Amino acid sequence: MNINASVVNVTKKHPDRASVPIRRKIRHHENDMSVTPTNPPRRSANPAEIGGLLILALAAAGLLVFALIADGVHEGETRGFDETVLLLFRQAGNPALPIGPIWLEIAVRDFTSLGSTTGLATLTLLTAGYLAVDGKRAAALFVLIATSSGMLLSFALKIGFNRPRPDIVDRLVDVHTLSFPSGHAMGAAVTYLTLGVLIVRTESKRCIKVYVLGVALGLTLLIGLSRIYLGVHWPTDVLAGWCAGSAWALLCWLVASWLQRRGQIEPADSN
């Protein structure tokens, strides 16, 4: 009884000493709460980021295939393939005459002009003018920069590789430039695909997007095949032009998407 009484007396005389253990427990509990790790919320995948990575992967694949073709051309490993495919477009035993009726040859000559420098430049200016009149001036400027720089790249590659034109068949049109890569194939891919993806970025209707991309791909393929038919390019010239031009167009797609998200290129029409 004396001991209990002394404890009571101590707590009465010194209340601060009695509350010390309680304070320590409260502080310890607060410390435990403060250091308790919290799991950050998981960041969901952004569809735009996934699409951008996919496009970047496709562009990288196109550049890789171009590099492989260029290496094979430099080492002379593609000669057999080039000659075999080129002769498929000529009559057996007479490499001077192409396969098919005369009207097909005339049509191919007319069609290949869609990939000429004059034709592509005209189309680019008309498209840029349309976008500017439609109030999409930033998109119009992007079209001019993307296509013109792609064409300059095509000319630079020709000078760098310095490959002569095919000599095993008669050429059905006059040409005076170097062969690798095909300027028509690469120019068509750069221009038609770049214009196509940019129009897709500024349009909201799915049917218009599918139509524009389908037309761009079809024209790019047919123009490249016309160069082989006319005997002015090796098949590997055309394949390399398609790869380089497609990679350029895909990279332009990425840049256009990035600029559009930043508000520097006009968004798709709301209607």
Side-chain angles (χ1 to χ4, degrees):
M1 294 297 294
N2 295 332
I3 295 174
N4 292 335
S6 60
V7 171
V8 172
N9 293 331
V10 169
T11 56
K12 289 181 178 180
K13 295 179 179 179
H14 305 282
D16 293 337
R17 294 182 182 179
S19 61
V20 168
I22 298 176
R23 292 177 181 175
R24 289 179 179 175
K25 290 182 179 181
I26 294 175
R27 290 176 181 174
H28 182 69
H29 181 67
E30 291 177 349
N31 292 334
D32 290 342
M33 294 179 61
S34 62
V35 299
T36 301
T38 58
N39 295 326
R42 293 184 179 180
R43 182 174 176 269
S44 59
N46 190 344
E49 293 179 356
I50 296 176
L53 291 176
L54 178 60
I55 294 173
L56 185 61
L58 291 175
L63 293 176
L64 176 61
V65 175
F66 174 85
L68 294 175
I69 295 174
D71 182 69
V73 169
H74 179 72
E75 298 296 333
E77 299 172 352
T78 63
R79 180 78 182 189
F81 169 80
D82 282 329
E83 292 181 354
T84 300
V85 175
L86 199 58
L87 291 174
L88 289 177
F89 290 87
R90 296 304 167 104
Q91 297 182 10
N94 190 357
L97 296 177
I99 59 175
I102 187 62
W103 63 262
L104 178 60
E105 178 183 344
I106 296 173
V108 172
R109 288 186 181 183
D110 293 337
F111 196 84
T112 198
S113 62
L114 296 175
S116 65
T117 302
T118 303
L120 295 177
T122 302
L123 177 63
T124 300
L125 291 174
L126 291 175
T127 304
Y130 163 76
L131 292 172
V133 171
D134 195 35
K136 301 170 183 176
R137 294 180 176 82
L141 179 61
F142 183 84
V143 164
L144 295 175
I145 295 175
T147 54
S148 60
S149 57
M151 294 301 295
L152 290 176
L153 176 62
S154 175
F155 294 141
L157 290 174
K158 280 181 174 291
I159 296 174
F161 286 99
N162 194 28
R163 189 186 193 186
R165 297 275 180 169
D167 53 2
I168 64 171
V169 296
D170 290 358
R171 303 169 191 169
L172 303 181
V173 292
D174 292 331
V175 288
H176 306 285
T177 57
L178 297 171
S179 189
F180 186 90
S182 169
H184 277 63
M186 183 173 176
V190 167
T191 303
Y192 289 114
L193 293 181
T194 299
L195 295 179
V197 298
L198 192 54
I199 292 175
V200 165
R201 293 301 308 174
T202 56
E203 288 291 339
S204 58
K205 295 182 179 179
R206 183 179 297 273
C207 59
I208 295 179
K209 294 182 179 182
V210 174
Y211 174 78
V212 169
L213 287 181
V215 170
L217 286 172
L219 288 174
T220 300
L221 293 175
L222 291 175
I223 289 172
L225 291 175
S226 71
R227 306 306 286 175
I228 302 175
Y229 182 91
L230 296 173
V232 294
H233 272 296
W234 301 103
T236 47
D237 297 340
V238 175
L239 290 175
W242 282 339
C243 291
S246 299
W248 185 264
L250 289 171
L251 292 176
C252 289
W253 186 331
L254 284 179
V255 174
S257 301
W258 179 71
L259 292 175
Q260 196 175 56
R261 288 194 300 269
R262 291 172 59 91
Q264 298 181 9
I265 286 184
E266 293 81 4
D269 293 331
S270 58
N271 57 351

